[in-house]
Every structure is written in structure tokens, then in C-alpha cells.
Amino acid sequence: MTSAISLRGVSVSYGETPVVEDLSLEIAEGECFGLVGESGSGKSTLLRAITGLAPDWTGGISLFGQARGKSIDRRFSALCQMVFQDPYGSLHPRQTVDAALSEPLTIHGIAGADTKVPAMMAACGLDPRFRFRLPHQLSGGQRQRVAIARALMLSPRILLLDEPTSALDVSVQAEILNLLKRLRREQKLTYILVTHDLPVVSFLCDRLAVMRQGRVVEVADVAALRANTMTHPYSREMVARSERRV
Amino acid sequence: MSEPLLDVANLRVRFPSPGGPVEVVRGVSFTLGRERLGIVGESGSGKSLTGRSILRLIRPPGIVTADRLRFSDIDLLRAGEWQMRRIRGARISMVMQDPKFSLNPVMTVGEQIGEALAVHKRLPRGQMRRRVLDMLEAVQIRDPERVFGLYPHEVSGGMGQRVMIAMMLIPEPAILIADEPTSALDVSVQGEVLKLMNDLITRKGMGLIFISHDLHLVSQFCDRILVMYRGRIVEECAAGELDRASHPYTRGLIAAVPRIDETREELPVLDRGAWEEAGA
Ligand SMILES: Nc1ncnc2c1ncn2[C@@H]1O[C@H](COP(=O)(O)OP(=O)(O)OP(=O)(O)O)[C@@H](O)[C@H]1O
Ligand SMILES: Nc1ncnc2c1ncn2[C@@H]1O[C@H](COP(=O)(O)OP(=O)(O)OP(=O)(O)O)[C@@H](O)[C@H]1O
Ligand SMILES: [Mg+2]
Ligand SMILES: [Mg+2]
């Protein structure tokens, strides 16, 4: 069976600086894959390479068996969407919530924005009053939900989520995590979820990879995370520090 | 606690809207001493706006009123814009929730931290650079020499947070308002950064307002916690006693936190309507 996401020897660099080195992963359709690790270890960069936003990479990236080229490709954007770590950066400052959510439909020639926009807002827990607001008129967590809603507008089959809930209070986080879980069950979506929050991985993911300095140091089943049987010293340190906090 | 560093009474923030003015901060009162005060609460409940109001950073058409807004002996409500400029960043500083977009996009991160230091202390160029590199190292940046010369869009999410923290701590302010300062940090780096903040609290008597969604973190790191909901403080408790909180909103929050050995198929969500109508 072809993987939903297949990465073979992927390396990414910015100028002279290598940021991701020789990374290989196979992620099955319908799987939720957690990506955790040190701040600055290359997690966001890897997601950007998969979406076609990293300038300089080598190796092989394919989605459902189709190899991705070096440039942005519209076929891939309907297939694979990304929710960025900084919602401020991914939303246009002069674009209302309504415009941000309708735009992907317009670009891909899909009708029905009038009903689809409010429905998606409701699914992501956004009050209808926010529909004509600008990003700076929303709180951090509200902006994040707009970014998630926007990524879902095209019904992609792959969703790359970069810290999607770290700006949300835990009750809203619970709503979003439940929504992501439901979408995945109903539509067989495939996720890569970047987070620093191991309990979030435990709730949503099937497997996880731990990154450090551009490399994956361990790939494990989420059962190993729950039972504290991961093996790499850095993974064990992360788990120990997270456990102490409960 | 002797004289509070900060005294806020009946703080309100309003914005005009088509249906008339909407109040988003609705009568918030608290004092801050040389302590770690945590603020948690619903997304959109007014935490960031409360922080920004203290620094008078709410732009028109937003309107801020309060019965009292004092920083030691300074009346922040009456302070002129020139006086506010001398307070911001030097005596009260704020780590913004979106650090990468609060940094100057056309200046390297090293230069920006250097500029923040210059507000506090004039130093020769070489020494300045040394201090900035030390600070980058203190916030656990690998390869400070390289990062010194990067622009904000060239650093990772968590590096941006740490750059902002470095910038806000280097002038050794009397009060630090930290809005979700560690949400993009892995647990090890987070621990080191918190130590650094703590150090300024114990060594220099800094007061800290720590806004966060991370209930475990706040209950372990802070002394006291305020819980906000829809523009109001609905509960206050000693940090260690958060698990004994009584307000239904706070109880709901605690139940919604996933665990590292999580096996629930669904996380409980708040049924806000139920207890709001009951007048809670
Ligand atoms: N410029 C504005 N105009 C109108 N409403 C605004 C404006 N800025 C903020 N608000 C509203 O004020 C409320 C409080 O916002 P604030 O940013 O303080 O929330 P918060 O508690 O920090 O939330 P989060 O945890 O999501 O960051 C929100 O509902 C937001 O939509
Ligand atoms: N445009 C750029 N130019 C130069 N270096 C960059 C650029 N973007 C990212 N980097 C570097 O790449 C490295 C990895 O960054 P990345 O954002 O992928 O990390 P991350 O694992 O997502 O970290 P975090 O958890 O803090 O978000 C960092 O050292 C960063 O400085
Ligand atoms: Mg990142
Ligand atoms: Mg906020």
C-alpha cells in the first residue's frame, strides 16, 4: 500500500546551515503522527518542505505516491494543507475572517462559500460575530481557530498541524482535539502534528518521532509514550520532565 | 507583602461595535507584589488586553478606564506618553503572545536585544555584543553567534519566544508581564527559561505576571493564580491549591487537560450554557 506521506532521505538547509538531515519516514493514510522535540530542531522546517514552502531541500517527498517537485503545486495544495505555528503570520492583516475562509474556495473555483464559511466557523468554535473581524481584533486563540478553519476549507486529505493548540485554553483545546479526532475518523484524514505537549500526542496520535538537531532520534508507538518505555535518553528525559508536572 | 508594585482596580476595556460598545475586560482588580502571579482562563477572556492596558498599549478605538492603575508611585492612567515610553521596556516589560510579529522585522535579533540593553545601560560595542551573546546562551539558544545575526523571520517559533524573553529580561525590569511566554518551548528549555525569570524575582525583587494556558505549569511555577472568564476574574487561589478550585469554569478546565497516559476517546468540554444560566 502506498503511504500517505513518504519522506526518503530528506535534507533541508538555509544557506550554509543544515536544518533537517537525512530524514526518512512513512506515514499511512488515516494515521496521526506526532512530531516532538527540541525547539529549533527543524520540525516546522520539515512541514514547510512537505507543503512546498522550504527553498532548498534534497531527497524524496511524495504524497499518496505522487512525487512533489520543488515548486508550489496546486494539485498538492488541495491535497495537503498546513496550519502554521504563528497564526498572525499566516493570516493577512487586512483580510477579514470571512475573506480568509472564502479565499481558498475562490482560488479552487468551489461554490457555496455563503454556507460553508459559517458552518466551518461553528465547527471550530468561532462565534458568528467574528465573521467580519480582522486578525488584530481577535484574541490569540481565536486567530488560531481561524487558521485551523482555513486549512480545513478545501477538505484536504493531509493536514500538517504546527502547534495547533498551544495558544488555546485547555477547554478550547479539548474542543479542537475532539474535532480533529472526529474528522480523522469520518474522513480518514492523515495528520502530522507538531507539539511540545506530550499528553496531546498521547490523546491524538498513533506514533511519534522525537527530533533533535535536525535528526529523528527515535520513532515509537504512542503506547511506548504512555507506558514510559521509549528508549533514547533524550526521549526519556522529555517524558520524565512532562510526568513530573502532572 | 508590603507596598504593592502594581495596583489595578476596576479595569475596563471597551471596543465599539455595530451593536454598541462591547466591554471585553469588565472590572478587573488585583495587586502585584514581588511575586509570581499566574493568570489563566478562557481564550478571549481578556488576559492579553489586561496586560496591554497596564502598559497603555490599547489603541483607539479601544477605551480603557479604571478606578486605579498605579505602578509604585506612578499613576499610569495620567502618565504622559513620554513618561510611558520611559517605563515600557525599561521598568515594565511585556513578552507578547506573538513574539515573532512583535519583533522588528528589519533588525537582527542581536541588534534588538542590544537596543533593549542600551535603555538600561550604555556599554561599549564589544561589551554590548558579549552581554547579548551571554543572554542568548542563557535562554538556551544553540549557536548564539549565528542567531545574533538572524532576522525574526529566520528563527523558529520557540527561538522567537526566547529572543523576546531575552530582550525583556536584559534591562532587569521591575515588572515583567509574560503573555504565553513558553508555549512554543520544549520542556527542558522551558525549565531553564523559567529559572532565569525566577532568578530576577529572587535577586532583584521583580514582580511577574505570567499569562498561560498551561495549568500544571502555572500551579507549579507561580505563587498565586487568577482565573479569568469573559472579562472578569472568577476565582483566585494559591497556586498549589488549583486542584481544589471551586468555580465550575475552573473545574471544567482541569477536567479538560489530557494526560500523558491518556486513553479517553473524547475529552470533556465545557457546557458553558448550563452553569451560566444557573447564575454561576
Ligand atoms: N481591536 C479589537 N476590537 C474588538 N475586539 C477586540 C479587539 N482586540 C481584542 N478584542 C476582543 O477582546 C477579547 C479579549 O481579547 P484578549 O486578547 O485579551 O483575550 P485573551 O484572554 O488574551 O485570549 P487568548 O488566550 O486567546 O490569547 C476577545 O474576545 C477579542 O476578540
Ligand atoms: N529563513 C530562515 N533562514 C535561516 N535559518 C532559518 C530560517 N528558518 C528557520 N531557520 C533555522 O532553522 C532551524 C530550525 O527551525 P524550525 O523553525 O524548523 O525549528 P522548530 O523545530 O520548528 O522549532 P520550534 O519548536 O522552536 O518552533 C533554526 O535554527 C532556525 O534558526
Ligand atoms: Mg516550529
Ligand atoms: Mg491572549
Side-chain angles (χ1 to χ4, degrees), chain B residues 18-52:
Chain B
V22 183
E23 200 165 61
V24 287
V25 175
R26 305 191 286 169
V28 162
S29 305
F30 65 91
T31 60
L32 174 76
R34 300 177 192 287
E35 61 177 329
R36 293 158 295 195
L37 176 66
I39 303 185
V40 302
E42 162 124 313
S43 173
S45 62
K47 304 180 298 294
S48 300
L49 292 180
T50 298
R52 298 177 71 97

PDB file of all heavy atoms in Angstrom, chain B residues 18-52:
ATOM      1  N   PRO B  18     -20.871  47.404  15.841  1.00  0.00           N
ATOM      2  CA  PRO B  18     -22.123  47.844  15.198  1.00  0.00           C
ATOM      3  C   PRO B  18     -23.301  47.843  16.179  1.00  0.00           C
ATOM      4  O   PRO B  18     -24.189  48.680  16.098  1.00  0.00           O
ATOM      5  CB  PRO B  18     -22.330  46.816  14.087  1.00  0.00           C
ATOM      6  CG  PRO B  18     -20.989  46.241  13.817  1.00  0.00           C
ATOM      7  CD  PRO B  18     -20.212  46.332  15.093  1.00  0.00           C
ATOM      8  N   GLY B  19     -23.297  46.933  17.131  1.00  0.00           N
ATOM      9  CA  GLY B  19     -24.403  46.866  18.083  1.00  0.00           C
ATOM     10  C   GLY B  19     -24.152  47.667  19.352  1.00  0.00           C
ATOM     11  O   GLY B  19     -24.727  47.348  20.383  1.00  0.00           O
ATOM     12  N   GLY B  20     -23.269  48.656  19.306  1.00  0.00           N
ATOM     13  CA  GLY B  20     -22.940  49.427  20.506  1.00  0.00           C
ATOM     14  C   GLY B  20     -21.647  48.927  21.121  1.00  0.00           C
ATOM     15  O   GLY B  20     -21.147  47.872  20.729  1.00  0.00           O
ATOM     16  N   PRO B  21     -21.087  49.675  22.088  1.00  0.00           N
ATOM     17  CA  PRO B  21     -19.788  49.299  22.653  1.00  0.00           C
ATOM     18  C   PRO B  21     -19.838  47.938  23.349  1.00  0.00           C
ATOM     19  O   PRO B  21     -20.836  47.590  23.980  1.00  0.00           O
ATOM     20  CB  PRO B  21     -19.481  50.412  23.660  1.00  0.00           C
ATOM     21  CG  PRO B  21     -20.726  51.192  23.821  1.00  0.00           C
ATOM     22  CD  PRO B  21     -21.635  50.895  22.675  1.00  0.00           C
ATOM     23  N   VAL B  22     -18.773  47.182  23.184  1.00  0.00           N
ATOM     24  CA  VAL B  22     -18.689  45.880  23.834  1.00  0.00           C
ATOM     25  C   VAL B  22     -17.569  45.939  24.856  1.00  0.00           C
ATOM     26  O   VAL B  22     -16.455  46.363  24.548  1.00  0.00           O
ATOM     27  CB  VAL B  22     -18.351  44.772  22.810  1.00  0.00           C
ATOM     28  CG1 VAL B  22     -18.341  43.410  23.486  1.00  0.00           C
ATOM     29  CG2 VAL B  22     -19.337  44.784  21.663  1.00  0.00           C
ATOM     30  N   GLU B  23     -17.877  45.515  26.079  1.00  0.00           N
ATOM     31  CA  GLU B  23     -16.861  45.536  27.111  1.00  0.00           C
ATOM     32  C   GLU B  23     -16.192  44.169  27.159  1.00  0.00           C
ATOM     33  O   GLU B  23     -16.865  43.160  27.372  1.00  0.00           O
ATOM     34  CB  GLU B  23     -17.527  45.855  28.450  1.00  0.00           C
ATOM     35  CG  GLU B  23     -16.559  46.371  29.472  1.00  0.00           C
ATOM     36  CD  GLU B  23     -17.277  47.005  30.648  1.00  0.00           C
ATOM     37  OE1 GLU B  23     -18.041  46.303  31.322  1.00  0.00           O
ATOM     38  OE2 GLU B  23     -17.067  48.204  30.879  1.00  0.00           O
ATOM     39  N   VAL B  24     -14.885  44.129  26.957  1.00  0.00           N
ATOM     40  CA  VAL B  24     -14.198  42.830  26.921  1.00  0.00           C
ATOM     41  C   VAL B  24     -13.360  42.581  28.177  1.00  0.00           C
ATOM     42  O   VAL B  24     -13.053  41.439  28.499  1.00  0.00           O
ATOM     43  CB  VAL B  24     -13.344  42.657  25.639  1.00  0.00           C
ATOM     44  CG1 VAL B  24     -14.246  42.430  24.441  1.00  0.00           C
ATOM     45  CG2 VAL B  24     -12.442  43.843  25.401  1.00  0.00           C
ATOM     46  N   VAL B  25     -12.980  43.659  28.891  1.00  0.00           N
ATOM     47  CA  VAL B  25     -12.419  43.498  30.233  1.00  0.00           C
ATOM     48  C   VAL B  25     -13.403  44.215  31.140  1.00  0.00           C
ATOM     49  O   VAL B  25     -13.709  45.390  30.919  1.00  0.00           O
ATOM     50  CB  VAL B  25     -11.007  44.099  30.344  1.00  0.00           C
ATOM     51  CG1 VAL B  25     -10.497  44.024  31.787  1.00  0.00           C
ATOM     52  CG2 VAL B  25     -10.035  43.368  29.414  1.00  0.00           C
ATOM     53  N   ARG B  26     -13.960  43.505  32.131  1.00  0.00           N
ATOM     54  CA  ARG B  26     -15.127  44.019  32.833  1.00  0.00           C
ATOM     55  C   ARG B  26     -14.934  44.127  34.341  1.00  0.00           C
ATOM     56  O   ARG B  26     -15.483  43.362  35.102  1.00  0.00           O
ATOM     57  CB  ARG B  26     -16.336  43.136  32.513  1.00  0.00           C
ATOM     58  CG  ARG B  26     -16.564  43.017  31.008  1.00  0.00           C
ATOM     59  CD  ARG B  26     -17.884  42.382  30.685  1.00  0.00           C
ATOM     60  NE  ARG B  26     -17.889  40.960  30.933  1.00  0.00           N
ATOM     61  CZ  ARG B  26     -18.993  40.221  30.929  1.00  0.00           C
ATOM     62  NH1 ARG B  26     -20.164  40.783  30.733  1.00  0.00           N
ATOM     63  NH2 ARG B  26     -18.921  38.934  31.131  1.00  0.00           N
ATOM     64  N   GLY B  27     -14.073  45.080  34.720  1.00  0.00           N
ATOM     65  CA  GLY B  27     -13.913  45.328  36.146  1.00  0.00           C
ATOM     66  C   GLY B  27     -12.917  44.384  36.800  1.00  0.00           C
ATOM     67  O   GLY B  27     -13.246  43.669  37.743  1.00  0.00           O
ATOM     68  N   VAL B  28     -11.687  44.412  36.294  1.00  0.00           N
ATOM     69  CA  VAL B  28     -10.651  43.548  36.842  1.00  0.00           C
ATOM     70  C   VAL B  28      -9.861  44.300  37.913  1.00  0.00           C
ATOM     71  O   VAL B  28      -9.453  45.435  37.694  1.00  0.00           O
ATOM     72  CB  VAL B  28      -9.713  43.075  35.706  1.00  0.00           C
ATOM     73  CG1 VAL B  28      -8.402  42.544  36.251  1.00  0.00           C
ATOM     74  CG2 VAL B  28     -10.424  42.022  34.855  1.00  0.00           C
ATOM     75  N   SER B  29      -9.695  43.683  39.073  1.00  0.00           N
ATOM     76  CA  SER B  29      -8.918  44.291  40.153  1.00  0.00           C
ATOM     77  C   SER B  29      -7.930  43.285  40.719  1.00  0.00           C
ATOM     78  O   SER B  29      -8.296  42.142  40.970  1.00  0.00           O
ATOM     79  CB  SER B  29      -9.840  44.741  41.299  1.00  0.00           C
ATOM     80  OG  SER B  29     -10.849  45.599  40.820  1.00  0.00           O
ATOM     81  N   PHE B  30      -6.695  43.713  40.898  1.00  0.00           N
ATOM     82  CA  PHE B  30      -5.711  42.868  41.590  1.00  0.00           C
ATOM     83  C   PHE B  30      -4.503  43.717  41.943  1.00  0.00           C
ATOM     84  O   PHE B  30      -4.350  44.825  41.428  1.00  0.00           O
ATOM     85  CB  PHE B  30      -5.298  41.677  40.714  1.00  0.00           C
ATOM     86  CG  PHE B  30      -4.566  42.041  39.445  1.00  0.00           C
ATOM     87  CD1 PHE B  30      -3.184  42.131  39.401  1.00  0.00           C
ATOM     88  CD2 PHE B  30      -5.282  42.312  38.266  1.00  0.00           C
ATOM     89  CE1 PHE B  30      -2.519  42.463  38.223  1.00  0.00           C
ATOM     90  CE2 PHE B  30      -4.625  42.649  37.090  1.00  0.00           C
ATOM     91  CZ  PHE B  30      -3.239  42.729  37.076  1.00  0.00           C
ATOM     92  N   THR B  31      -3.675  43.205  42.841  1.00  0.00           N
ATOM     93  CA  THR B  31      -2.401  43.862  43.102  1.00  0.00           C
ATOM     94  C   THR B  31      -1.297  42.863  42.824  1.00  0.00           C
ATOM     95  O   THR B  31      -1.517  41.653  42.831  1.00  0.00           O
ATOM     96  CB  THR B  31      -2.272  44.321  44.568  1.00  0.00           C
ATOM     97  OG1 THR B  31      -2.382  43.172  45.400  1.00  0.00           O
ATOM     98  CG2 THR B  31      -3.330  45.349  44.932  1.00  0.00           C
ATOM     99  N   LEU B  32      -0.114  43.402  42.551  1.00  0.00           N
ATOM    100  CA  LEU B  32       1.045  42.543  42.294  1.00  0.00           C
ATOM    101  C   LEU B  32       2.182  42.996  43.195  1.00  0.00           C
ATOM    102  O   LEU B  32       2.546  44.177  43.186  1.00  0.00           O
ATOM    103  CB  LEU B  32       1.465  42.659  40.824  1.00  0.00           C
ATOM    104  CG  LEU B  32       2.755  41.925  40.445  1.00  0.00           C
ATOM    105  CD1 LEU B  32       2.507  40.426  40.350  1.00  0.00           C
ATOM    106  CD2 LEU B  32       3.313  42.446  39.123  1.00  0.00           C
ATOM    107  N   GLY B  33       2.731  42.063  43.959  1.00  0.00           N
ATOM    108  CA  GLY B  33       3.919  42.369  44.761  1.00  0.00           C
ATOM    109  C   GLY B  33       5.143  41.745  44.113  1.00  0.00           C
ATOM    110  O   GLY B  33       5.148  41.481  42.914  1.00  0.00           O
ATOM    111  N   ARG B  34       6.156  41.490  44.899  1.00  0.00           N
ATOM    112  CA  ARG B  34       7.358  40.839  44.351  1.00  0.00           C
ATOM    113  C   ARG B  34       7.093  39.345  44.349  1.00  0.00           C
ATOM    114  O   ARG B  34       7.560  38.607  45.210  1.00  0.00           O
ATOM    115  CB  ARG B  34       8.564  41.207  45.202  1.00  0.00           C
ATOM    116  CG  ARG B  34       8.757  42.695  45.204  1.00  0.00           C
ATOM    117  CD  ARG B  34       9.878  43.172  46.084  1.00  0.00           C
ATOM    118  NE  ARG B  34       9.794  44.621  46.222  1.00  0.00           N
ATOM    119  CZ  ARG B  34      10.092  45.497  45.276  1.00  0.00           C
ATOM    120  NH1 ARG B  34      10.502  45.075  44.092  1.00  0.00           N
ATOM    121  NH2 ARG B  34       9.966  46.787  45.479  1.00  0.00           N
ATOM    122  N   GLU B  35       6.296  38.916  43.399  1.00  0.00           N
ATOM    123  CA  GLU B  35       5.772  37.545  43.393  1.00  0.00           C
ATOM    124  C   GLU B  35       5.521  37.105  41.959  1.00  0.00           C
ATOM    125  O   GLU B  35       5.668  37.886  41.025  1.00  0.00           O
ATOM    126  CB  GLU B  35       4.448  37.515  44.158  1.00  0.00           C
ATOM    127  CG  GLU B  35       3.422  38.433  43.493  1.00  0.00           C
ATOM    128  CD  GLU B  35       2.038  38.434  44.128  1.00  0.00           C
ATOM    129  OE1 GLU B  35       1.651  37.380  44.659  1.00  0.00           O
ATOM    130  OE2 GLU B  35       1.355  39.462  44.056  1.00  0.00           O
ATOM    131  N   ARG B  36       5.088  35.848  41.847  1.00  0.00           N
ATOM    132  CA  ARG B  36       4.727  35.303  40.538  1.00  0.00           C
ATOM    133  C   ARG B  36       3.223  35.114  40.520  1.00  0.00           C
ATOM    134  O   ARG B  36       2.700  34.206  41.168  1.00  0.00           O
ATOM    135  CB  ARG B  36       5.428  33.944  40.343  1.00  0.00           C
ATOM    136  CG  ARG B  36       6.943  34.057  40.234  1.00  0.00           C
ATOM    137  CD  ARG B  36       7.605  32.758  40.568  1.00  0.00           C
ATOM    138  NE  ARG B  36       7.380  32.425  41.961  1.00  0.00           N
ATOM    139  CZ  ARG B  36       8.059  31.511  42.636  1.00  0.00           C
ATOM    140  NH1 ARG B  36       8.998  30.812  42.046  1.00  0.00           N
ATOM    141  NH2 ARG B  36       7.789  31.261  43.896  1.00  0.00           N
ATOM    142  N   LEU B  37       2.558  35.985  39.779  1.00  0.00           N
ATOM    143  CA  LEU B  37       1.101  35.930  39.710  1.00  0.00           C
ATOM    144  C   LEU B  37       0.697  35.297  38.378  1.00  0.00           C
ATOM    145  O   LEU B  37       1.012  35.830  37.319  1.00  0.00           O
ATOM    146  CB  LEU B  37       0.540  37.355  39.807  1.00  0.00           C
ATOM    147  CG  LEU B  37      -0.985  37.485  39.655  1.00  0.00           C
ATOM    148  CD1 LEU B  37      -1.693  36.819  40.827  1.00  0.00           C
ATOM    149  CD2 LEU B  37      -1.389  38.954  39.549  1.00  0.00           C
ATOM    150  N   GLY B  38       0.014  34.162  38.441  1.00  0.00           N
ATOM    151  CA  GLY B  38      -0.418  33.494  37.212  1.00  0.00           C
ATOM    152  C   GLY B  38      -1.802  33.977  36.804  1.00  0.00           C
ATOM    153  O   GLY B  38      -2.646  34.220  37.651  1.00  0.00           O
ATOM    154  N   ILE B  39      -2.025  34.139  35.504  1.00  0.00           N
ATOM    155  CA  ILE B  39      -3.380  34.387  35.018  1.00  0.00           C
ATOM    156  C   ILE B  39      -3.715  33.300  34.000  1.00  0.00           C
ATOM    157  O   ILE B  39      -2.998  33.111  33.023  1.00  0.00           O
ATOM    158  CB  ILE B  39      -3.532  35.776  34.358  1.00  0.00           C
ATOM    159  CG1 ILE B  39      -3.121  36.889  35.336  1.00  0.00           C
ATOM    160  CG2 ILE B  39      -4.982  35.988  33.894  1.00  0.00           C
ATOM    161  CD1 ILE B  39      -3.352  38.296  34.801  1.00  0.00           C
ATOM    162  N   VAL B  40      -4.790  32.566  34.272  1.00  0.00           N
ATOM    163  CA  VAL B  40      -5.241  31.555  33.317  1.00  0.00           C
ATOM    164  C   VAL B  40      -6.667  31.908  32.924  1.00  0.00           C
ATOM    165  O   VAL B  40      -7.274  32.803  33.488  1.00  0.00           O
ATOM    166  CB  VAL B  40      -5.198  30.125  33.918  1.00  0.00           C
ATOM    167  CG1 VAL B  40      -3.807  29.768  34.389  1.00  0.00           C
ATOM    168  CG2 VAL B  40      -6.194  29.976  35.064  1.00  0.00           C
ATOM    169  N   GLY B  41      -7.195  31.212  31.956  1.00  0.00           N
ATOM    170  CA  GLY B  41      -8.595  31.456  31.627  1.00  0.00           C
ATOM    171  C   GLY B  41      -8.875  31.310  30.159  1.00  0.00           C
ATOM    172  O   GLY B  41      -7.979  31.197  29.328  1.00  0.00           O
ATOM    173  N   GLU B  42     -10.135  31.334  29.894  1.00  0.00           N
ATOM    174  CA  GLU B  42     -10.691  31.134  28.572  1.00  0.00           C
ATOM    175  C   GLU B  42     -10.002  31.960  27.489  1.00  0.00           C
ATOM    176  O   GLU B  42      -9.648  33.121  27.703  1.00  0.00           O
ATOM    177  CB  GLU B  42     -12.157  31.534  28.687  1.00  0.00           C
ATOM    178  CG  GLU B  42     -12.838  31.824  27.424  1.00  0.00           C
ATOM    179  CD  GLU B  42     -14.062  30.950  27.306  1.00  0.00           C
ATOM    180  OE1 GLU B  42     -13.957  29.740  27.555  1.00  0.00           O
ATOM    181  OE2 GLU B  42     -15.103  31.488  26.954  1.00  0.00           O
ATOM    182  N   SER B  43      -9.846  31.366  26.339  1.00  0.00           N
ATOM    183  CA  SER B  43      -9.352  32.114  25.194  1.00  0.00           C
ATOM    184  C   SER B  43     -10.346  33.235  24.896  1.00  0.00           C
ATOM    185  O   SER B  43     -11.537  32.997  24.798  1.00  0.00           O
ATOM    186  CB  SER B  43      -9.248  31.161  24.002  1.00  0.00           C
ATOM    187  OG  SER B  43      -8.932  31.878  22.853  1.00  0.00           O
ATOM    188  N   GLY B  44      -9.847  34.481  24.805  1.00  0.00           N
ATOM    189  CA  GLY B  44     -10.733  35.614  24.558  1.00  0.00           C
ATOM    190  C   GLY B  44     -11.299  36.230  25.826  1.00  0.00           C
ATOM    191  O   GLY B  44     -12.156  37.107  25.759  1.00  0.00           O
ATOM    192  N   SER B  45     -10.818  35.810  27.001  1.00  0.00           N
ATOM    193  CA  SER B  45     -11.387  36.325  28.248  1.00  0.00           C
ATOM    194  C   SER B  45     -10.797  37.665  28.664  1.00  0.00           C
ATOM    195  O   SER B  45     -11.235  38.249  29.646  1.00  0.00           O
ATOM    196  CB  SER B  45     -11.195  35.308  29.370  1.00  0.00           C
ATOM    197  OG  SER B  45      -9.821  35.084  29.587  1.00  0.00           O
ATOM    198  N   GLY B  46      -9.787  38.153  27.943  1.00  0.00           N
ATOM    199  CA  GLY B  46      -9.252  39.470  28.263  1.00  0.00           C
ATOM    200  C   GLY B  46      -7.901  39.472  28.953  1.00  0.00           C
ATOM    201  O   GLY B  46      -7.463  40.493  29.479  1.00  0.00           O
ATOM    202  N   LYS B  47      -7.198  38.351  28.917  1.00  0.00           N
ATOM    203  CA  LYS B  47      -5.896  38.279  29.588  1.00  0.00           C
ATOM    204  C   LYS B  47      -4.871  39.192  28.926  1.00  0.00           C
ATOM    205  O   LYS B  47      -4.214  39.996  29.584  1.00  0.00           O
ATOM    206  CB  LYS B  47      -5.376  36.832  29.576  1.00  0.00           C
ATOM    207  CG  LYS B  47      -6.338  35.824  30.200  1.00  0.00           C
ATOM    208  CD  LYS B  47      -5.801  34.412  30.172  1.00  0.00           C
ATOM    209  CE  LYS B  47      -5.567  33.847  28.775  1.00  0.00           C
ATOM    210  NZ  LYS B  47      -6.784  33.658  27.964  1.00  0.00           N
ATOM    211  N   SER B  48      -4.733  39.068  27.610  1.00  0.00           N
ATOM    212  CA  SER B  48      -3.742  39.896  26.910  1.00  0.00           C
ATOM    213  C   SER B  48      -4.107  41.369  26.999  1.00  0.00           C
ATOM    214  O   SER B  48      -3.236  42.220  27.198  1.00  0.00           O
ATOM    215  CB  SER B  48      -3.643  39.501  25.438  1.00  0.00           C
ATOM    216  OG  SER B  48      -3.263  38.157  25.312  1.00  0.00           O
ATOM    217  N   LEU B  49      -5.390  41.674  26.861  1.00  0.00           N
ATOM    218  CA  LEU B  49      -5.797  43.083  26.919  1.00  0.00           C
ATOM    219  C   LEU B  49      -5.528  43.663  28.308  1.00  0.00           C
ATOM    220  O   LEU B  49      -5.153  44.828  28.430  1.00  0.00           O
ATOM    221  CB  LEU B  49      -7.272  43.248  26.539  1.00  0.00           C
ATOM    222  CG  LEU B  49      -7.609  42.965  25.072  1.00  0.00           C
ATOM    223  CD1 LEU B  49      -9.100  43.164  24.816  1.00  0.00           C
ATOM    224  CD2 LEU B  49      -6.797  43.848  24.121  1.00  0.00           C
ATOM    225  N   THR B  50      -5.686  42.857  29.351  1.00  0.00           N
ATOM    226  CA  THR B  50      -5.349  43.321  30.697  1.00  0.00           C
ATOM    227  C   THR B  50      -3.860  43.674  30.758  1.00  0.00           C
ATOM    228  O   THR B  50      -3.482  44.749  31.231  1.00  0.00           O
ATOM    229  CB  THR B  50      -5.694  42.230  31.741  1.00  0.00           C
ATOM    230  OG1 THR B  50      -7.105  41.992  31.689  1.00  0.00           O
ATOM    231  CG2 THR B  50      -5.297  42.634  33.142  1.00  0.00           C
ATOM    232  N   GLY B  51      -3.025  42.782  30.249  1.00  0.00           N
ATOM    233  CA  GLY B  51      -1.586  43.041  30.222  1.00  0.00           C
ATOM    234  C   GLY B  51      -1.247  44.297  29.428  1.00  0.00           C
ATOM    235  O   GLY B  51      -0.495  45.154  29.872  1.00  0.00           O
ATOM    236  N   ARG B  52      -1.842  44.425  28.260  1.00  0.00           N
ATOM    237  CA  ARG B  52      -1.549  45.570  27.399  1.00  0.00           C
ATOM    238  C   ARG B  52      -2.049  46.873  28.010  1.00  0.00           C
ATOM    239  O   ARG B  52      -1.441  47.925  27.820  1.00  0.00           O
ATOM    240  CB  ARG B  52      -2.166  45.374  26.014  1.00  0.00           C
ATOM    241  CG  ARG B  52      -1.609  44.164  25.279  1.00  0.00           C
ATOM    242  CD  ARG B  52      -2.303  43.980  23.941  1.00  0.00           C
ATOM    243  NE  ARG B  52      -1.911  45.027  23.015  1.00  0.00           N
ATOM    244  CZ  ARG B  52      -0.961  44.888  22.102  1.00  0.00           C
ATOM    245  NH1 ARG B  52      -0.322  43.757  21.989  1.00  0.00           N
ATOM    246  NH2 ARG B  52      -0.649  45.890  21.311  1.00  0.00           N
TER     247      ARG B  52
END
